[in-house]
Amino acid sequence: AIHETEEQFAAWGRILGYEADFQAGEPSEEEAVIRVATSASLYEDAEGASVSFDQRVDAARRANWSETYSTFQKLSQRELTADVQVDSLLWLRFTGFQESHPGEFKLIADDWIAFRLGRAWGFLQVTSSAPEGVEDRDFMLSTIQVLLRKQIDHTLNSGVLK
């Protein structure tokens, strides 16, 4: 996990931050989003947001993700792009197989997406599960892009970037 200190937030001019975490109530045998975590931060100016964002991106690229995802078999880590209008973007996709029942494995994807727009930046983490037998590591990408665009649209339409 990547964590900033209150001193760092103050130095960057962070005004406020918000986090929310949503989890599915029941496991699904179908393709499903099982967790969404989202956060947003607003800074006094674009420079502070950019420094904060760049530090988070650097830490994400240096992280030992194989340790974080030690329960995944056949772990794959990829950096993806998205056709969105933002100042900066980092999208990391982790996929691997987890045991769902004794001897049965499901493909799980965990997408970590951070983006910056002016003096704000947002973060979206989406955990998805594929149905048994699915091995296409690109499953759910279109759904995750919709969620990303919605968060970007909310940021753009919130009035905080003025």
Side-chain angles (χ1 to χ4, degrees):
I2 302 164
H3 300 285
E4 291 85 3
T5 65
E6 290 301 319
E7 292 79 19
Q8 288 172 311
F9 286 138
W12 298 325
R14 183 176 185 218
I15 297 170
L16 60 90
Y18 176 81
E19 294 181 18
D21 192 6
F22 307 94
Q23 303 220 7
E26 296 290 325
S28 174
E29 296 300 318
E30 304 299 317
E31 181 174 88
V33 170
I34 54 177
R35 178 176 182 260
V36 175
T38 183
S39 63
S41 290
L42 181 64
Y43 293 80
E44 292 173 7
D45 56 40
E47 182 181 349
S50 181
V51 171
S52 170
F53 180 85
D54 290 346
Q55 180 163 327
R56 178 165 282 233
V57 166
D58 183 56
R61 287 189 171 131
R62 288 184 289 109
N64 181 357
W65 294 108
S66 60
E67 184 177 296
T68 302
Y69 292 99
S70 62
T71 62
F72 279 23
Q73 293 187 8
K74 299 181 185 175
L75 174 65
S76 170
Q77 175 184 338
R78 294 185 295 156
E79 190 166 327
L80 304 178
T81 59
D83 185 22
V84 292
Q85 298 299 314
V86 295
D87 297 320
S88 304
L89 176 87
L90 174 68
W91 183 345
L92 297 177
R93 177 164 247 235
F94 306 94
T95 56
F97 294 88
Q98 281 188 319
E99 194 166 29
S100 55
H101 303 289
E104 295 179 18
F105 293 84
K106 286 180 88 167
L107 180 60
I108 304 293
D110 206 11
D111 292 272
W112 292 55
I113 308 168
F115 66 88
R116 186 181 66 79
L117 282 166
R119 67 186 193 128
W121 65 259
F123 174 74
L124 180 65
Q125 180 183 2
V126 181
T127 307
S128 310
S129 67
E132 296 286 342
V134 170
E135 295 193 13
D136 177 8
R137 291 181 184 254
D138 287 339
F139 80 99
M140 295 292 284
L141 280 180
S142 60
T143 300
I144 294 162
Q145 288 190 40
V146 168
L147 294 173
L148 172 61
R149 285 191 177 93
K150 284 184 182 284
Q151 185 162 351
I152 290 168
D153 287 347
H154 286 298
T155 303
L156 288 169
N157 297 325
S158 68
V160 300
L161 298 178
K162 296 177 182 169

